[in-house]
Amino acid sequence: MRGWRRSAAIVVAGASIIAVALSGCTPQASASIDVPEQVQSSLPDDTVTQLRDAVTSAMAITGSTGAIVGVWAPWSGTWVSGLGTQGPGGAEVTADMGFRAADVTRAMTCDIVYELAAGGTFSLDDAVSTWVSGLPGYDDITLRELCDGTSGLGAYQATLANQVLTNPDRAWSDRELMAYGIASPRLNAPGAAFAGSDTNYLLAGMAVERATGEKLDDLIAERVAGPLGLDATSLPGPAAAAPSANALNGYWSLRGGDGAWNCTDPADFTVTSASFGAGDSGVVTDITDLGRYAQALATGALLPDGNDRFSAPVPVSADAPTWFTAAGGAFQAGSLIGQYGSAPGYIVGAFADPSTGMSVAVVLNNSGASDMAGAWLAWELAAIASKAPAADGRTVPEAGLPWTAQQMRDNLGTIAICPPAQ
């Protein structure tokens, strides 16, 4: 469960349901992202220096040897860069390397849920048991609540973490993962509160597969990556593999018997099976795709005008700031919309402002620390970028963010597993 501080269903009708579903809307061939025109130049040197310092600091406290970052401020410029190395003493990280998108997958899975609902394939208020068999007694949970993270379902990944640590190549079936998820105690009554369980998005992925008769990897290709031109973005098959042919190496620092984190020789999790993440965190991408996707998510580029995906956000936790809420498979942080999280080997954050078009995306190559590092680093970068001076003929947006870069830097310091040497 996320917190601010981390702490035969309908068998008889099944054939007719699928027949109706398959007659639903077809994916759009392309989608445009309605943001201000991007200045085609680099961000000012002083801004880049601040951004680089923010990422370098986060790398140190999370034990990451490498990171990739992209910042797009339409009124000022861009900065896309690889930092650090592939591992202790390894080759330099480059900006074109692939990595696991982690919980950004949740937003993509819910893109498809909302697209299908808009096309009449199903209703967001349908019970999940209508579209996922083997969930007796779950008629009180809707597809909307899965994407909003308010179903109350428990998580599967925490239960299985030790198995992934010892056998990262193992291929998992969705139903096997589902069994662990629904076996976990419910966290709250449906609709009562946000819990952000991975089981929500696993089931959402299974529901869209049932509704369309297509596999989730094909749906992401047809309805998300294809229309947005995300050539490096996909949901891989179950065979263990690196995120791409040119991948950022991913590591996972663990605690030793003395309780200390292994920051000098972390376990290598570059090659794993995406099946464990599935519709929750299985997608792979690169930084350019991730930054563009954040803009598309924030502006609703894949959905019809007037959709209600983010219209009724809920608090992320009782102690979260009022500006930090969740809805529709994504988070809202001030004026930003995006996602953050971790997958074995990687911590990711990606957020964009639908009005100004500013987008920030970052990946750290060690998943040992709290995945709040992905959010706080992205928000620190956004705070810096929001103050970037305007290029000739452009104007700095007036709207600000309800936090400072230093506040996010301070937050990151509270979750350090590899504190910098004094």
Side-chain angles (χ1 to χ4, degrees), residues 59-206:
M59 288 168 59
I61 67 172
T62 60
S64 299
T65 64
I68 306 174
V69 59
V71 178
W72 295 264
W75 66 91
S76 183
T78 65
W79 181 56
V80 179
S81 180
L83 287 78
T85 64
Q86 284 281 56
E92 290 187 1
V93 171
T94 58
D96 60 344
M97 290 176 169
F99 52 88
R100 302 194 189 281
D103 294 28
V104 177
T105 306
R106 297 180 172 190
M108 296 182 181
T109 298
C110 290
D111 286 336
I112 300 166
V113 170
Y114 276 81
E115 285 182 48
L116 294 176
T121 299
F122 50 47
S123 168
L124 292 171
D125 295 324
D126 284 351
V128 61
S129 55
T130 303
W131 297 102
V132 180
S133 62
L135 290 174
Y138 285 78
D139 296 345
D140 55 346
I141 296 174
T142 67
L143 297 177
R144 187 191 301 274
E145 287 166 345
L146 293 182
C147 281
D148 283 347
T150 60
S151 72
L153 291 170
Y156 70 86
Q157 291 186 3
T159 302
L160 298 171
N162 285 337
Q163 293 193 46
V164 175
L165 282 168
T166 57
N167 188 11
D169 294 353
R170 176 177 173 176
W172 299 82
S173 74
D174 287 349
R175 291 205 165 270
E176 185 177 19
L177 298 174
M178 181 185 83
Y180 282 97
I182 65 176
S184 299
R186 288 210 190 187
L187 303 172
N188 50 256
F194 176 81
S197 165
D198 43 49
T199 306
N200 289 317
Y201 309 97
L202 171 73
L203 293 180
M206 295 171 70

Side-chain angles (χ1 to χ4, degrees), residues 408-422:
M408 294 300 110
R409 177 76 65 95
D410 292 343
N411 284 345
L412 283 161
T414 67
I415 58 172
I417 64 170
C418 301
Q422 300 296 319

Side-chain angles (χ1 to χ4, degrees), residues 239-252:
S244 70
N246 179 31
L248 173 68
N249 288 351
Y251 300 93
W252 191 344

